[in-house]
Amino acid sequence: MKKLAIIGASYLQEPLIEKAKGMGLETHVFAWQTGDIGEHSADYFYPISIVEKDKILEKCREIGIDGICSIASDLASITVNYVAQNMNLTGNSMECTLRSTNKHSMRQCFEKNGDPSPKSFLVGPASDLHGIKLNYPIIVKPTDRSGSRGITKLYDPGKLEAAIDFAESEGFEKKALVEEFAEGQEYSIECISRHGIHHFLTMTLKYTTGYPHYIETGHLEPAPADEETLERVKKVVFHALDTLMVTDSASHSELKIDSQGNISIIEIGARMGGDFIGSTLVPLTTGIDFTRNVILTALGEELDLTTSHDVSPAAVRFIFGQKDIEAFDRLNADHPDWVVLKDIHPIEIRDVTDSASRLGCYVFRAPTVEQLQKYMPVQIDAK
């Protein structure tokens, strides 16, 4: 029986754990012990923090793993690739890991290689803010976080210092990027790469709270787009993946397309997207088992990009408050057969400050994209 190491034990990794077990693999999960679901669903659990890559490497050598992977986590991908490189297993290089997990390094690479992305500056606790010359509005974000953590949009410099402090407090390396705001509708592009060959799976339409923090309120697949737009998107994303040196992993590329059709890359994670995008929406809308292909890649095996069932458009809507509950109630009354899954927590009176503090979600599918859109949140600040 082959042995697969999985970095992380939260609900984000549960689809990966269950898929690996269904493939007849022995699962070895590493994470700080907090009572997460993966601690119990894995065949073997090791209470080692995902950032302790040398301890995890030592244990993986002792186990004799055949592959290592994680989904939906930039932080976990650092350890995944570190262990893979040191054990001659399949993964991305450490140079790729730096470029794809540190937003400043990513921006530098994009600028050097001609990939379209916003102008940005790196700032730290002792930086002189007077030297920053950008066209407002701007976005301030941590250099090394995901899930909408630490992000603020500003229309003038009055609150710049506070926004930088907020971003630094949310980041691991305590630095922030200050960058010009890219106009346009936001999308994500889901791909998987093997031996440097990139395979486009689908494009996802993103819904957010808009100004100031842009927390994701929902996702819809496939995104409404014509073939000409899709081909231009693929060309831009594949070039950017080469820039980041992505060779063997899933990828989740976030970009915007403005009213003139100009594409601007926001950021790219060399891992599967979270928020049910990779684990649930991609299989529903393409028939391709994305999670299985992440595992096959980690094991150094051939991809399986065949479709296995009928497909249809699908979406996920996240719970922020009572309006989202009411939308689910309408959906469930009108088309209960469209509901794929729901995970709705009791409504609390509190601010949702990032993706992790949302109050649940529901996934649903319909015969057409237009039918899905009737039950999606209002698209705020899509410019």
Side-chain angles (χ1 to χ4, degrees):
M1 179 181 291
K2 288 189 175 182
K3 302 173 182 179
L4 182 71
I6 295 172
I7 305 303
S10 75
Y11 74 96
L12 293 171
Q13 306 305 325
E14 184 61 13
L16 189 60
I17 296 169
E18 293 302 326
K19 180 63 63 175
K21 292 171 71 173
M23 293 169 63
L25 302 174
E26 187 175 273
T27 53
H28 296 260
V29 170
F30 296 82
W32 190 255
Q33 190 165 17
T34 60
D36 282 332
I37 186 171
E39 298 175 22
H40 310 289
S41 60
D43 295 309
Y44 297 92
F45 173 71
Y46 308 91
I48 305 174
S49 169
I50 67 172
V51 301
E52 295 186 87
K53 56 185 186 291
D54 284 306
K55 288 185 178 180
I56 293 177
L57 171 60
E58 180 182 2
K59 192 65 181 179
C60 285
R61 281 175 168 157
E62 178 186 323
I63 296 165
I65 63 168
D66 299 284
I68 182 169
C69 56
S70 185
I71 56 177
S73 171
D74 290 326
L75 187 61
S77 69
I78 298 173
T79 296
V80 166
N81 292 325
Y82 181 78
V83 172
Q85 291 296 297
N86 279 277
M87 292 186 65
N88 293 318
L89 298 171
T90 301
N92 291 320
S93 69
M94 294 312 295
E95 178 62 27
C96 168
T97 305
L98 173 64
R99 295 183 182 195
S100 60
T101 59
N102 185 284
K103 293 177 176 60
H104 178 54
S105 295
M106 186 181 299
R107 286 279 183 263
Q108 287 182 311
C109 292
F110 286 161
E111 183 177 1
K112 180 180 178 180
N113 288 279
D115 299 288
S117 68
K119 179 181 178 183
S120 68
F121 289 91
L122 176 68
V123 296
S127 296
D128 181 4
L129 304 183
H130 297 292
I132 297 177
K133 297 186 182 300
L134 293 168
N135 295 319
Y136 282 78
I138 64 170
I139 287 285
V140 183
K141 63 176 70 171
T143 58
D144 53 5
R145 293 307 301 265
S146 57
S148 303
R149 295 177 182 87
I151 294 177
T152 305
K153 181 182 180 182
L154 297 177
Y155 286 90
D156 61 67
K159 297 181 180 180
L160 178 58
E161 190 168 351
I164 291 172
D165 288 342
F166 175 50
E168 290 172 353
S169 71
E170 291 289 315
F172 295 107
E173 69 171 7
K174 305 305 177 186
K175 295 180 181 179
L177 278 186
V178 178
E179 57 188 40
E180 292 178 349
F181 181 74
E183 300 290 343
Q185 175 60 58
E186 190 167 358
Y187 302 89
S188 66
I189 312 303
E190 326 311 330
C191 298
I192 192 155
S193 304
R194 185 173 188 272
H195 297 344
I197 304 300
H198 312 304
H199 302 273
F200 171 86
L201 301 180
T202 192
M203 184 161 80
T204 307
L205 175 63
K206 186 186 300 289
Y207 294 74
T208 78
T209 57
Y211 172 83
H213 299 306
Y214 291 86
I215 304 166
E216 291 161 350
T217 60
H219 304 285
L220 183 150
E221 288 181 11
D226 57 49
E227 285 302 317
E228 189 271 338
T229 299
L230 282 177
E231 289 306 313
R232 289 193 300 112
V233 164
K234 290 178 191 178
K235 183 177 180 179
V236 168
V237 169
F238 287 4
H239 187 276
L241 291 174
D242 287 339
T243 291
L244 298 181
M245 302 174 65
V246 175
T247 58
D248 294 274
S249 71
S251 62
H252 176 72
S253 304
E254 298 181 343
L255 55 81
K256 285 188 174 182
I257 305 176
D258 68 15
S259 57
Q260 284 74 49
N262 299 309
I263 298 171
S264 183
I265 302 170
I266 307 303
E267 58 190 57
I268 294 178
R271 41 77 179 173
M272 180 193 285
D275 274 0
F276 296 90
I277 294 173
S279 61
T280 308
L281 296 188
V282 170
L284 288 173
T285 61
T286 70
I288 296 171
D289 192 331
F290 199 0
T291 308
R292 172 179 167 82
N293 279 288
V294 167
I295 295 170
L296 292 174
T297 301
L299 295 174
E301 299 180 6
E302 294 290 338
L303 298 176
D304 178 8
L305 301 179
T306 58
T307 58
S308 58
H309 55 77
D310 292 335
V311 300
S312 65
V316 57
R317 177 167 177 167
F318 295 98
I319 306 299
F320 285 70
Q322 189 59 38
K323 286 185 178 179
D324 303 303
I325 297 290
E326 292 170 359
F328 173 76
D329 290 341
R330 289 198 307 273
L331 169 66
N332 199 41
D334 296 341
H335 304 283
D337 55 313
W338 288 4
V339 179
V340 176
L341 64 87
K342 65 174 182 176
D343 179 20
I344 301 175
H345 310 158
I347 297 297
E348 302 175 19
I349 302 176
R350 61 176 171 83
D351 291 333
V352 177
T353 57
D354 55 37
S355 297
S357 59
R358 294 172 301 198
L359 303 173
C361 69
Y362 52 95
V363 176
F364 57 108
R365 62 192 308 182
T368 69
V369 166
E370 291 74 20
Q371 289 169 310
L372 289 175
Q373 290 173 319
K374 295 178 181 179
Y375 300 96
M376 293 301 286
V378 174
Q379 186 65 284
I380 299 173
D381 198 10
K383 294 192 302 177

